Amino acid sequence: MALALCLQVLCSLCGWLSLYCSFCHLNPHRSYEWSCRLVTFTHGVLSIGLSAYIGFIDGPWPFTHPGSLNTPLQVHVLCLTLGYFFFDLGWCVYFRSEGALMLAHHTLSILGIIMALVLGESGTEVNAVLFGSEITNPLLQLRWFLRETGHYHSFPGDVVDFLFVALFTGVRIGVGARLLFCELVSPKPKWFVKVGGVAMYAVSWCFMFSIWRFAWRKSIKKYHAWRSRRGEERQLQHSELLKTR
């Protein structure tokens, strides 16, 4: 069983690495980070779809059955995601592209997935955490691509930022709090699984503070720009009115 899991994770790692190399070959004029973020975007969309299917259709429901035995589909998805996190953590460390908080997030994610696979249980709530963590990832990558192509300071950029902040606050913080409560009050999950859940939620709050600071600064900047435009429009209207007299 352990050998089969290791082979699945190794195949996943090789698959993500191959996809990264393919993106680098197809986009030679772009940076390595461009290709890495394409891989991240692909993993985000794929993991959202798979984890949503597991949580909402295949089951079991994470809010009522934390600590349940892993299903075969959960194991496959966790192995697929574990291979990706190994790839992305290695890339971030090699290129020194991320700070301590993101590295801590990746490390906790890897440890959490390994823990669920080794125990053979708690894949239900780990899969739910995967869904909540990844649901904002495609938007984060779109924001970066918009900035790189010079289209960030536009209406699509504002829409992406709004959706990102709203989803992060509502799902990762709001729904995440409910999931953590169900995890803590349930007698089935192991105590160290609960500790891991608390640690992941704490990391989410660290991200949340940074996101709210960004949203506040951008809102203030937008407000001042709007007032400046309104003032210029009024001056122009006043000048035109004086000319007609």
Side-chain angles (χ1 to χ4, degrees):
M1 183 64 181
L3 179 60
L5 291 175
C6 290
L7 286 176
Q8 286 190 63
V9 175
L10 182 60
C11 289
S12 172
L13 174 60
C14 292
W16 293 116
L17 186 59
S18 298
L19 183 62
Y20 170 71
C21 293
S22 298
F23 283 140
C24 289
H25 178 73
L26 293 173
N27 300 280
H29 58 292
R30 297 291 187 180
S31 65
Y32 291 131
E33 185 173 4
W34 180 281
S35 298
C36 183
R37 287 186 179 270
L38 283 177
V39 174
T40 301
F41 180 85
T42 304
H43 170 263
V45 173
L46 185 61
S47 61
I48 290 170
L50 291 173
S51 58
Y53 176 81
I54 291 175
F56 293 106
I57 299 175
D58 192 63
W61 187 238
F63 296 96
T64 56
H65 294 81
S68 301
L69 295 178
N70 299 343
T71 66
L73 183 56
Q74 288 174 354
V75 171
H76 293 321
V77 172
L78 292 180
C79 288
L80 178 70
T81 298
L82 183 57
Y84 163 76
F85 275 119
F86 277 135
F87 159 76
D88 200 49
L89 179 62
W91 194 95
C92 292
V93 171
Y94 181 81
F95 286 96
R96 300 179 181 179
S97 61
E98 299 292 346
L101 186 58
M102 182 60 73
L103 295 180
H105 169 269
H106 276 36
T107 302
L108 286 173
S109 299
I110 289 172
L111 292 177
I113 294 173
I114 291 176
M115 185 169 53
L117 291 173
V118 171
L119 291 174
E121 61 184 47
S122 292
T124 302
E125 56 266 39
V126 173
N127 176 81
V129 172
L130 173 63
F131 174 79
S133 299
E134 293 297 325
I135 196 170
T136 54
N137 202 319
L139 292 171
L140 186 63
Q141 307 314 316
L142 283 175
R143 180 178 183 272
W144 188 87
F145 288 127
L146 287 172
R147 185 182 293 277
E148 283 294 299
T149 55
H151 297 93
Y152 174 67
H153 298 288
S154 61
F155 179 72
D158 293 338
V159 171
V160 168
D161 280 344
F162 174 79
L163 291 176
F164 176 78
V165 174
L167 281 175
F168 197 103
T169 305
V171 177
R172 199 154 172 175
I173 300 300
V175 179
R178 176 61 180 172
L179 179 63
L180 180 61
F181 174 79
C182 295
E183 177 82 5
L184 294 177
V185 300
S186 174
K188 293 189 68 176
K190 301 289 192 297
W191 67 269
F192 46 85
V193 176
K194 297 181 179 183
V195 171
V198 172
M200 282 295 292
Y201 192 67
V203 169
S204 293
W205 266 106
C206 292
F207 282 125
M208 189 75 263
F209 287 133
S210 299
I211 291 169
W212 280 345
R213 284 198 300 267
F214 156 77
W216 175 256
R217 289 196 300 266
K218 183 169 183 177
S219 298
I220 293 298
K221 186 177 180 180
K222 288 284 185 180
Y223 173 72
H224 287 311
W226 174 78
R227 287 196 60 181
S228 177
R229 287 196 303 270
R230 288 285 296 175
E232 292 175 356
E233 290 174 359
R234 288 176 180 174
Q235 289 182 357
L236 182 61
Q237 292 174 356
H238 182 68
S239 299
E240 291 177 351
L241 181 63
L242 291 177
K243 290 179 180 179
T244 56
R245 291 183 176 179

